[in-house]
PDB file of all heavy atoms in Angstrom:
ATOM      1  N   THR A   1      36.521  15.347   3.827  1.00 97.00           N
ATOM      2  CA  THR A   1      36.094  16.550   3.136  1.00 97.00           C
ATOM      3  C   THR A   1      36.482  17.765   3.974  1.00 97.00           C
ATOM      4  O   THR A   1      36.648  17.664   5.197  1.00 97.00           O
ATOM      5  CB  THR A   1      34.572  16.556   2.896  1.00 97.00           C
ATOM      6  OG1 THR A   1      33.899  16.485   4.155  1.00 97.00           O
ATOM      7  CG2 THR A   1      34.146  15.396   2.023  1.00 97.00           C
ATOM      8  N   TYR A   2      36.636  18.908   3.298  1.00 97.00           N
ATOM      9  CA  TYR A   2      37.039  20.124   4.006  1.00 97.00           C
ATOM     10  C   TYR A   2      36.403  21.330   3.319  1.00 97.00           C
ATOM     11  O   TYR A   2      36.531  21.496   2.096  1.00 97.00           O
ATOM     12  CB  TYR A   2      38.564  20.260   4.009  1.00 97.00           C
ATOM     13  CG  TYR A   2      39.071  21.427   4.815  1.00 97.00           C
ATOM     14  CD1 TYR A   2      39.157  21.358   6.200  1.00 97.00           C
ATOM     15  CD2 TYR A   2      39.444  22.621   4.184  1.00 97.00           C
ATOM     16  CE1 TYR A   2      39.605  22.433   6.945  1.00 97.00           C
ATOM     17  CE2 TYR A   2      39.897  23.700   4.920  1.00 97.00           C
ATOM     18  CZ  TYR A   2      39.976  23.600   6.301  1.00 97.00           C
ATOM     19  OH  TYR A   2      40.419  24.672   7.052  1.00 97.00           O
ATOM     20  N   PRO A   3      35.696  22.217   4.076  1.00 97.00           N
ATOM     21  CA  PRO A   3      35.062  23.386   3.466  1.00 97.00           C
ATOM     22  C   PRO A   3      36.093  24.485   3.174  1.00 97.00           C
ATOM     23  O   PRO A   3      36.933  24.808   4.022  1.00 97.00           O
ATOM     24  CB  PRO A   3      34.061  23.834   4.532  1.00 97.00           C
ATOM     25  CG  PRO A   3      34.664  23.383   5.829  1.00 97.00           C
ATOM     26  CD  PRO A   3      35.396  22.103   5.523  1.00 97.00           C
ATOM     27  N   MET A   4      36.024  25.065   1.987  1.00 98.00           N
ATOM     28  CA  MET A   4      36.966  26.108   1.596  1.00 98.00           C
ATOM     29  C   MET A   4      36.226  27.402   1.268  1.00 98.00           C
ATOM     30  O   MET A   4      35.129  27.383   0.709  1.00 98.00           O
ATOM     31  CB  MET A   4      37.786  25.662   0.380  1.00 98.00           C
ATOM     32  CG  MET A   4      38.651  24.437   0.618  1.00 98.00           C
ATOM     33  SD  MET A   4      39.700  24.034  -0.810  1.00 98.00           S
ATOM     34  CE  MET A   4      38.457  23.561  -2.028  1.00 98.00           C
ATOM     35  N   THR A   5      36.848  28.534   1.591  1.00 98.00           N
ATOM     36  CA  THR A   5      36.306  29.865   1.316  1.00 98.00           C
ATOM     37  C   THR A   5      36.910  30.409   0.035  1.00 98.00           C
ATOM     38  O   THR A   5      38.131  30.308  -0.171  1.00 98.00           O
ATOM     39  CB  THR A   5      36.602  30.822   2.481  1.00 98.00           C
ATOM     40  OG1 THR A   5      36.018  30.295   3.680  1.00 98.00           O
ATOM     41  CG2 THR A   5      36.045  32.209   2.212  1.00 98.00           C
ATOM     42  N   GLY A   6      36.081  30.982  -0.815  1.00 97.00           N
ATOM     43  CA  GLY A   6      36.563  31.534  -2.066  1.00 97.00           C
ATOM     44  C   GLY A   6      37.667  32.550  -1.880  1.00 97.00           C
ATOM     45  O   GLY A   6      37.629  33.351  -0.945  1.00 97.00           O
ATOM     46  N   THR A   7      38.665  32.518  -2.755  1.00 98.00           N
ATOM     47  CA  THR A   7      39.858  33.375  -2.817  1.00 98.00           C
ATOM     48  C   THR A   7      40.899  33.024  -1.753  1.00 98.00           C
ATOM     49  O   THR A   7      41.977  33.631  -1.746  1.00 98.00           O
ATOM     50  CB  THR A   7      39.516  34.885  -2.724  1.00 98.00           C
ATOM     51  OG1 THR A   7      39.124  35.234  -1.386  1.00 98.00           O
ATOM     52  CG2 THR A   7      38.414  35.271  -3.706  1.00 98.00           C
ATOM     53  N   HIS A   8      40.634  32.085  -0.854  1.00 98.00           N
ATOM     54  CA  HIS A   8      41.666  31.613   0.069  1.00 98.00           C
ATOM     55  C   HIS A   8      42.558  30.593  -0.633  1.00 98.00           C
ATOM     56  O   HIS A   8      42.144  29.933  -1.595  1.00 98.00           O
ATOM     57  CB  HIS A   8      41.031  30.965   1.297  1.00 98.00           C
ATOM     58  CG  HIS A   8      40.475  31.941   2.279  1.00 98.00           C
ATOM     59  ND1 HIS A   8      40.544  31.763   3.637  1.00 98.00           N
ATOM     60  CD2 HIS A   8      39.826  33.124   2.096  1.00 98.00           C
ATOM     61  CE1 HIS A   8      39.955  32.771   4.259  1.00 98.00           C
ATOM     62  NE2 HIS A   8      39.505  33.615   3.330  1.00 98.00           N
ATOM     63  N   THR A   9      43.775  30.466  -0.135  1.00 98.00           N
ATOM     64  CA  THR A   9      44.716  29.473  -0.651  1.00 98.00           C
ATOM     65  C   THR A   9      44.954  28.417   0.417  1.00 98.00           C
ATOM     66  O   THR A   9      45.341  28.732   1.553  1.00 98.00           O
ATOM     67  CB  THR A   9      46.059  30.129  -1.040  1.00 98.00           C
ATOM     68  OG1 THR A   9      45.834  31.078  -2.084  1.00 98.00           O
ATOM     69  CG2 THR A   9      47.060  29.087  -1.514  1.00 98.00           C
ATOM     70  N   TYR A  10      44.723  27.151   0.035  1.00 98.00           N
ATOM     71  CA  TYR A  10      44.827  26.045   0.974  1.00 98.00           C
ATOM     72  C   TYR A  10      45.955  25.109   0.532  1.00 98.00           C
ATOM     73  O   TYR A  10      45.994  24.675  -0.632  1.00 98.00           O
ATOM     74  CB  TYR A  10      43.519  25.268   1.036  1.00 98.00           C
ATOM     75  CG  TYR A  10      42.361  26.098   1.536  1.00 98.00           C
ATOM     76  CD1 TYR A  10      41.589  26.850   0.643  1.00 98.00           C
ATOM     77  CD2 TYR A  10      42.045  26.154   2.885  1.00 98.00           C
ATOM     78  CE1 TYR A  10      40.527  27.634   1.094  1.00 98.00           C
ATOM     79  CE2 TYR A  10      40.985  26.933   3.342  1.00 98.00           C
ATOM     80  CZ  TYR A  10      40.239  27.670   2.447  1.00 98.00           C
ATOM     81  OH  TYR A  10      39.195  28.443   2.895  1.00 98.00           O
ATOM     82  N   VAL A  11      46.854  24.807   1.458  1.00 98.00           N
ATOM     83  CA  VAL A  11      47.938  23.870   1.185  1.00 98.00           C
ATOM     84  C   VAL A  11      47.703  22.623   2.043  1.00 98.00           C
ATOM     85  O   VAL A  11      47.696  22.693   3.275  1.00 98.00           O
ATOM     86  CB  VAL A  11      49.319  24.472   1.498  1.00 98.00           C
ATOM     87  CG1 VAL A  11      50.421  23.449   1.226  1.00 98.00           C
ATOM     88  CG2 VAL A  11      49.546  25.729   0.668  1.00 98.00           C
ATOM     89  N   PHE A  12      47.519  21.491   1.374  1.00 98.00           N
ATOM     90  CA  PHE A  12      47.283  20.214   2.045  1.00 98.00           C
ATOM     91  C   PHE A  12      48.574  19.404   2.042  1.00 98.00           C
ATOM     92  O   PHE A  12      49.269  19.322   1.013  1.00 98.00           O
ATOM     93  CB  PHE A  12      46.174  19.438   1.342  1.00 98.00           C
ATOM     94  CG  PHE A  12      44.842  20.152   1.363  1.00 98.00           C
ATOM     95  CD1 PHE A  12      44.451  20.957   0.297  1.00 98.00           C
ATOM     96  CD2 PHE A  12      43.979  20.022   2.447  1.00 98.00           C
ATOM     97  CE1 PHE A  12      43.233  21.615   0.305  1.00 98.00           C
ATOM     98  CE2 PHE A  12      42.759  20.681   2.471  1.00 98.00           C
ATOM     99  CZ  PHE A  12      42.389  21.485   1.398  1.00 98.00           C
ATOM    100  N   THR A  13      48.905  18.806   3.173  1.00 98.00           N
ATOM    101  CA  THR A  13      50.138  18.020   3.293  1.00 98.00           C
ATOM    102  C   THR A  13      49.850  16.729   4.055  1.00 98.00           C
ATOM    103  O   THR A  13      48.878  16.616   4.797  1.00 98.00           O
ATOM    104  CB  THR A  13      51.233  18.803   4.032  1.00 98.00           C
ATOM    105  OG1 THR A  13      50.749  19.194   5.326  1.00 98.00           O
ATOM    106  CG2 THR A  13      51.655  20.040   3.260  1.00 98.00           C
ATOM    107  N   LEU A  14      50.744  15.758   3.885  1.00 98.00           N
ATOM    108  CA  LEU A  14      50.698  14.502   4.624  1.00 98.00           C
ATOM    109  C   LEU A  14      51.748  14.519   5.727  1.00 98.00           C
ATOM    110  O   LEU A  14      52.903  14.881   5.494  1.00 98.00           O
ATOM    111  CB  LEU A  14      50.959  13.311   3.701  1.00 98.00           C
ATOM    112  CG  LEU A  14      49.879  12.961   2.687  1.00 98.00           C
ATOM    113  CD1 LEU A  14      50.242  11.666   1.958  1.00 98.00           C
ATOM    114  CD2 LEU A  14      48.533  12.816   3.368  1.00 98.00           C
ATOM    115  N   LYS A  15      51.329  14.106   6.920  1.00 98.00           N
ATOM    116  CA  LYS A  15      52.256  14.005   8.047  1.00 98.00           C
ATOM    117  C   LYS A  15      52.045  12.672   8.750  1.00 98.00           C
ATOM    118  O   LYS A  15      51.028  12.004   8.560  1.00 98.00           O
ATOM    119  CB  LYS A  15      52.039  15.160   9.033  1.00 98.00           C
ATOM    120  CG  LYS A  15      52.334  16.541   8.452  1.00 98.00           C
ATOM    121  CD  LYS A  15      52.260  17.633   9.521  1.00 98.00           C
ATOM    122  CE  LYS A  15      52.547  19.002   8.936  1.00 98.00           C
ATOM    123  NZ  LYS A  15      52.570  20.063   9.977  1.00 98.00           N
ATOM    124  N   TRP A  16      53.027  12.314   9.609  1.00 98.00           N
ATOM    125  CA  TRP A  16      52.917  11.056  10.330  1.00 98.00           C
ATOM    126  C   TRP A  16      53.662  11.092  11.643  1.00 98.00           C
ATOM    127  O   TRP A  16      54.430  12.020  11.910  1.00 98.00           O
ATOM    128  CB  TRP A  16      53.356   9.879   9.468  1.00 98.00           C
ATOM    129  CG  TRP A  16      54.788   9.883   8.982  1.00 98.00           C
ATOM    130  CD1 TRP A  16      55.649  10.944   8.885  1.00 98.00           C
ATOM    131  CD2 TRP A  16      55.511   8.753   8.480  1.00 98.00           C
ATOM    132  NE1 TRP A  16      56.853  10.550   8.355  1.00 98.00           N
ATOM    133  CE2 TRP A  16      56.796   9.210   8.099  1.00 98.00           C
ATOM    134  CE3 TRP A  16      55.210   7.415   8.313  1.00 98.00           C
ATOM    135  CZ2 TRP A  16      57.770   8.360   7.574  1.00 98.00           C
ATOM    136  CZ3 TRP A  16      56.182   6.568   7.776  1.00 98.00           C
ATOM    137  CH2 TRP A  16      57.433   7.036   7.411  1.00 98.00           C
ATOM    138  N   LYS A  17      53.402  10.088  12.465  1.00 98.00           N
ATOM    139  CA  LYS A  17      54.077   9.917  13.743  1.00 98.00           C
ATOM    140  C   LYS A  17      53.803   8.500  14.233  1.00 98.00           C
ATOM    141  O   LYS A  17      53.014   7.763  13.618  1.00 98.00           O
ATOM    142  CB  LYS A  17      53.580  10.932  14.770  1.00 98.00           C
ATOM    143  CG  LYS A  17      52.107  10.816  15.149  1.00 98.00           C
ATOM    144  CD  LYS A  17      51.706  11.866  16.164  1.00 98.00           C
ATOM    145  CE  LYS A  17      50.257  11.688  16.633  1.00 98.00           C
ATOM    146  NZ  LYS A  17      50.077  10.453  17.441  1.00 98.00           N
ATOM    147  N   THR A  18      54.429   8.105  15.330  1.00 96.00           N
ATOM    148  CA  THR A  18      54.060   6.857  15.976  1.00 96.00           C
ATOM    149  C   THR A  18      52.908   7.108  16.946  1.00 96.00           C
ATOM    150  O   THR A  18      52.592   8.254  17.271  1.00 96.00           O
ATOM    151  CB  THR A  18      55.252   6.259  16.733  1.00 96.00           C
ATOM    152  OG1 THR A  18      55.799   7.261  17.604  1.00 96.00           O
ATOM    153  CG2 THR A  18      56.340   5.784  15.767  1.00 96.00           C
ATOM    154  N   ASN A  19      52.299   6.033  17.419  1.00 93.00           N
ATOM    155  CA  ASN A  19      51.158   6.179  18.324  1.00 93.00           C
ATOM    156  C   ASN A  19      51.584   6.435  19.757  1.00 93.00           C
ATOM    157  O   ASN A  19      50.750   6.760  20.608  1.00 93.00           O
ATOM    158  CB  ASN A  19      50.273   4.930  18.262  1.00 93.00           C
ATOM    159  CG  ASN A  19      50.967   3.687  18.798  1.00 93.00           C
ATOM    160  OD1 ASN A  19      52.129   3.435  18.471  1.00 93.00           O
ATOM    161  ND2 ASN A  19      50.263   2.899  19.601  1.00 93.00           N
ATOM    162  N   LYS A  20      52.876   6.319  20.046  1.00 94.00           N
ATOM    163  CA  LYS A  20      53.414   6.588  21.383  1.00 94.00           C
ATOM    164  C   LYS A  20      54.901   6.854  21.242  1.00 94.00           C
ATOM    165  O   LYS A  20      55.485   6.662  20.171  1.00 94.00           O
ATOM    166  CB  LYS A  20      53.163   5.402  22.322  1.00 94.00           C
ATOM    167  CG  LYS A  20      53.762   4.092  21.839  1.00 94.00           C
ATOM    168  CD  LYS A  20      53.380   2.938  22.762  1.00 94.00           C
ATOM    169  CE  LYS A  20      53.928   1.612  22.241  1.00 94.00           C
ATOM    170  NZ  LYS A  20      53.528   0.460  23.119  1.00 94.00           N
ATOM    171  N   ASN A  21      55.519   7.343  22.308  1.00 97.00           N
ATOM    172  CA  ASN A  21      56.946   7.635  22.277  1.00 97.00           C
ATOM    173  C   ASN A  21      57.724   6.394  21.848  1.00 97.00           C
ATOM    174  O   ASN A  21      57.529   5.304  22.399  1.00 97.00           O
ATOM    175  CB  ASN A  21      57.410   8.099  23.658  1.00 97.00           C
ATOM    176  CG  ASN A  21      58.825   8.634  23.635  1.00 97.00           C
ATOM    177  OD1 ASN A  21      59.291   9.180  22.625  1.00 97.00           O
ATOM    178  ND2 ASN A  21      59.531   8.495  24.740  1.00 97.00           N
ATOM    179  N   ALA A  22      58.599   6.544  20.843  1.00 97.00           N
ATOM    180  CA  ALA A  22      59.221   5.387  20.211  1.00 97.00           C
ATOM    181  C   ALA A  22      60.728   5.573  20.029  1.00 97.00           C
ATOM    182  O   ALA A  22      61.242   5.556  18.904  1.00 97.00           O
ATOM    183  CB  ALA A  22      58.554   5.123  18.868  1.00 97.00           C
ATOM    184  N   PRO A  23      61.493   5.740  21.124  1.00 97.00           N
ATOM    185  CA  PRO A  23      62.949   5.862  20.979  1.00 97.00           C
ATOM    186  C   PRO A  23      63.546   4.578  20.415  1.00 97.00           C
ATOM    187  O   PRO A  23      63.189   3.478  20.833  1.00 97.00           O
ATOM    188  CB  PRO A  23      63.413   6.112  22.416  1.00 97.00           C
ATOM    189  CG  PRO A  23      62.335   5.549  23.280  1.00 97.00           C
ATOM    190  CD  PRO A  23      61.065   5.757  22.530  1.00 97.00           C
ATOM    191  N   GLY A  24      64.412   4.732  19.427  1.00 97.00           N
ATOM    192  CA  GLY A  24      65.058   3.573  18.827  1.00 97.00           C
ATOM    193  C   GLY A  24      64.214   2.825  17.821  1.00 97.00           C
ATOM    194  O   GLY A  24      64.655   1.818  17.265  1.00 97.00           O
ATOM    195  N   ALA A  25      62.989   3.297  17.547  1.00 96.00           N
ATOM    196  CA  ALA A  25      62.099   2.624  16.593  1.00 96.00           C
ATOM    197  C   ALA A  25      62.004   3.426  15.300  1.00 96.00           C
ATOM    198  O   ALA A  25      62.129   4.657  15.303  1.00 96.00           O
ATOM    199  CB  ALA A  25      60.708   2.437  17.194  1.00 96.00           C
ATOM    200  N   THR A  26      61.763   2.728  14.194  1.00 97.00           N
ATOM    201  CA  THR A  26      61.597   3.364  12.888  1.00 97.00           C
ATOM    202  C   THR A  26      60.329   2.849  12.240  1.00 97.00           C
ATOM    203  O   THR A  26      60.062   1.644  12.255  1.00 97.00           O
ATOM    204  CB  THR A  26      62.796   3.068  11.971  1.00 97.00           C
ATOM    205  OG1 THR A  26      63.992   3.570  12.572  1.00 97.00           O
ATOM    206  CG2 THR A  26      62.620   3.726  10.610  1.00 97.00           C
ATOM    207  N   ILE A  27      59.542   3.768  11.690  1.00 96.00           N
ATOM    208  CA  ILE A  27      58.371   3.397  10.901  1.00 96.00           C
ATOM    209  C   ILE A  27      58.620   3.773   9.444  1.00 96.00           C
ATOM    210  O   ILE A  27      59.464   4.631   9.143  1.00 96.00           O
ATOM    211  CB  ILE A  27      57.077   4.047  11.431  1.00 96.00           C
ATOM    212  CG1 ILE A  27      57.179   5.578  11.432  1.00 96.00           C
ATOM    213  CG2 ILE A  27      56.751   3.520  12.817  1.00 96.00           C
ATOM    214  CD1 ILE A  27      55.871   6.281  11.803  1.00 96.00           C
ATOM    215  N   PHE A  28      57.871   3.120   8.534  1.00 96.00           N
ATOM    216  CA  PHE A  28      58.127   3.256   7.106  1.00 96.00           C
ATOM    217  C   PHE A  28      56.829   3.514   6.351  1.00 96.00           C
ATOM    218  O   PHE A  28      55.750   3.081   6.763  1.00 96.00           O
ATOM    219  CB  PHE A  28      58.755   1.970   6.558  1.00 96.00           C
ATOM    220  CG  PHE A  28      60.110   1.627   7.133  1.00 96.00           C
ATOM    221  CD1 PHE A  28      60.210   0.956   8.348  1.00 96.00           C
ATOM    222  CD2 PHE A  28      61.273   1.967   6.459  1.00 96.00           C
ATOM    223  CE1 PHE A  28      61.443   0.626   8.880  1.00 96.00           C
ATOM    224  CE2 PHE A  28      62.517   1.646   6.989  1.00 96.00           C
ATOM    225  CZ  PHE A  28      62.604   0.976   8.208  1.00 96.00           C
ATOM    226  N   ALA A  29      56.954   4.188   5.196  1.00 97.00           N
ATOM    227  CA  ALA A  29      55.872   4.348   4.225  1.00 97.00           C
ATOM    228  C   ALA A  29      56.423   3.995   2.855  1.00 97.00           C
ATOM    229  O   ALA A  29      57.460   4.519   2.436  1.00 97.00           O
ATOM    230  CB  ALA A  29      55.331   5.776   4.225  1.00 97.00           C
ATOM    231  N   GLY A  30      55.736   3.102   2.149  1.00 97.00           N
ATOM    232  CA  GLY A  30      56.196   2.628   0.850  1.00 97.00           C
ATOM    233  C   GLY A  30      56.752   1.226   0.953  1.00 97.00           C
ATOM    234  O   GLY A  30      57.713   0.989   1.685  1.00 97.00           O
ATOM    235  N   ALA A  31      56.142   0.264   0.239  1.00 96.00           N
ATOM    236  CA  ALA A  31      56.539  -1.135   0.337  1.00 96.00           C
ATOM    237  C   ALA A  31      57.161  -1.606  -0.971  1.00 96.00           C
ATOM    238  O   ALA A  31      57.047  -0.955  -2.007  1.00 96.00           O
ATOM    239  CB  ALA A  31      55.330  -1.995   0.683  1.00 96.00           C
ATOM    240  N   GLY A  32      57.817  -2.757  -0.911  1.00 96.00           N
ATOM    241  CA  GLY A  32      58.455  -3.346  -2.079  1.00 96.00           C
ATOM    242  C   GLY A  32      59.955  -3.183  -2.037  1.00 96.00           C
ATOM    243  O   GLY A  32      60.544  -2.889  -0.994  1.00 96.00           O
ATOM    244  N   SER A  33      60.585  -3.354  -3.212  1.00 93.00           N
ATOM    245  CA  SER A  33      62.044  -3.279  -3.287  1.00 93.00           C
ATOM    246  C   SER A  33      62.520  -2.165  -4.206  1.00 93.00           C
ATOM    247  O   SER A  33      63.699  -2.084  -4.527  1.00 93.00           O
ATOM    248  CB  SER A  33      62.609  -4.627  -3.762  1.00 93.00           C
ATOM    249  OG  SER A  33      62.028  -5.010  -4.990  1.00 93.00           O
TER     250      SER A  33
END
């Protein structure tokens, strides 16, 4: 949950990263073919 103030504009986005430095590694979102 997130409190919002009237007349403000809020933009919500999704972001990601690995849990530690990951040179040469790839992570994915979305499964199937």
Side-chain angles (χ1 to χ4, degrees):
T1 60
Y2 185 79
M4 298 185 293
T5 301
T7 73
H8 284 217
T9 298
Y10 298 88
V11 179
F12 298 94
T13 57
L14 290 186
K15 296 187 180 184
W16 61 340
K17 63 180 185 68
T18 52
N19 66 315
K20 58 185 177 182
N21 189 30
T26 300
I27 59 174
F28 297 83
S33 55

